[in-house]
Structure formats: structure tokens, C-alpha cells
Amino acid sequence: MNGLGAASKQQPVSEMSYTRIESPVGKLLLAGDEGGLRQVSFESSKRAASVQPGWREAKALFAEVIRQLRAYFIGELKAFDLPLAPEGTEFQLLVWNSLRTIPYGETISYAQLAHNIGNPKAVRAVGLANGCNPIPIIIPCHRVIGSDGSLTGFGGGLPNKKKLLALESRQMSLL
């Protein structure tokens, strides 16, 4: 998988590949192509992505993604350096790129995220875009919390959001 690290509107130009891995937050489906990583999906989620016809299993292509995820889960990696290629609307891509600027171990509210993208009235739209993030963990949507500090929605489930935030605050190692 080649490519730059920025989210873009590009369409798949090559065959999609995938693999599944076990992780401390459950089984994950990884999918991508030459453009980069396109999906990280919690297989236990209600909105779990599924392998599509024509995709081919190719674990070796995801070796670097897996290496970085493992390093993250043991607390050794604070910033992912992977080619990403999420697909979404211009607004979603703006939100997802902004998520990538939230420092490891820190959280912000949906209102702060809306302000960061220059649209402070778009709190609900930011929440919806955050919930559609196709590459959670790596694009850290788990770092967004309610304005009152409460943990709110996460595609991988609130217990996993709590685990990821605890890992990043050095309260635990997940491996």
C-alpha cells in the first residue's frame, strides 16, 4: 500500500485487500488498496464492515499496519505513520483530518472539534462525521468526548473507548 497520509476523496483504483487481526479491543478487519488503508472495523460492532466480493485476503500487505497497532496497544506508539485513504464527503474528510491533530493522551469535545474546523455551529454534523470514521484508532475518533466530559458514542463500543483513553493516559497497557 503506497500513498500519502492525508484523507482524500479518491476512489479505489486497485484491488482491495484485507486481513483480520486479534486485538485487545476485539477482532479487527483491516482493508485497503494501493491508495492506503481504507478501513479498520470492529467485527463485534453493530456497524461492522464486511469483506466484499472481489476482495482478496493478504495479511502480508498489512504488516506495517499490524506492527504499528501492536506498538500502539503496548503504549510504545503515540502517532501512526501510515498511508490512509478513507472515503467520504468533503465535510467528513475535513473532520477526519482534524481528528488526526488531537494529540495522543488528550481529548476534545465535539464542540471544540466543530470550532477547530471553522464551523462552530456544526456540532451535530461533526458528531455524525466522527461516527462514520472508517479508520478508528488510527484516525483517533475515540479522543472526542461530550462537552461535560462524558464518554459518548464509539463504533467499537464505549468499553473499548474507555480502554483506548486509559491506554493513552498511561493507566494501562492493552497487551
Side-chain angles (χ1 to χ4, degrees), residues 38-72:
R38 292 188 181 273
Q39 291 184 350
V40 172
S41 180
F42 292 86
E43 292 209 329
S44 62
S45 170
K46 294 174 189 169
R47 297 185 323 201
S50 57
V51 174
Q52 299 298 306
W55 289 14
R56 68 181 178 95
E57 189 163 9
K59 187 169 188 156
L61 293 176
F62 297 93
E64 183 61 13
V65 176
I66 294 167
R67 185 195 70 76
Q68 288 189 36
L69 281 168
R70 286 188 177 141
Y72 169 80

Side-chain angles (χ1 to χ4, degrees), residues 114-138:
H115 182 269
N116 290 355
I117 64 166
N119 198 343
K121 293 184 179 183
V123 177
R124 285 181 183 234
V126 161
L128 290 171
N130 197 54
C132 293
N133 174 14
I135 310 175
I137 304 171
I138 295 167

Side-chain angles (χ1 to χ4, degrees), residues 58-108:
K59 187 169 188 156
L61 293 176
F62 297 93
E64 183 61 13
V65 176
I66 294 167
R67 185 195 70 76
Q68 288 189 36
L69 281 168
R70 286 188 177 141
Y72 169 80
F73 288 131
I74 60 173
E76 291 180 357
L77 182 77
K78 294 183 179 180
F80 291 93
D81 183 17
L82 296 166
L84 304 180
E87 294 178 273
T89 66
E90 281 186 45
F91 183 79
Q92 288 171 326
L93 295 170
L94 178 65
V95 171
W96 300 336
N97 279 326
S98 187
L99 289 171
R100 296 178 68 202
T101 68
I102 305 169
Y104 179 94
E106 294 183 23
T107 58
I108 66 172

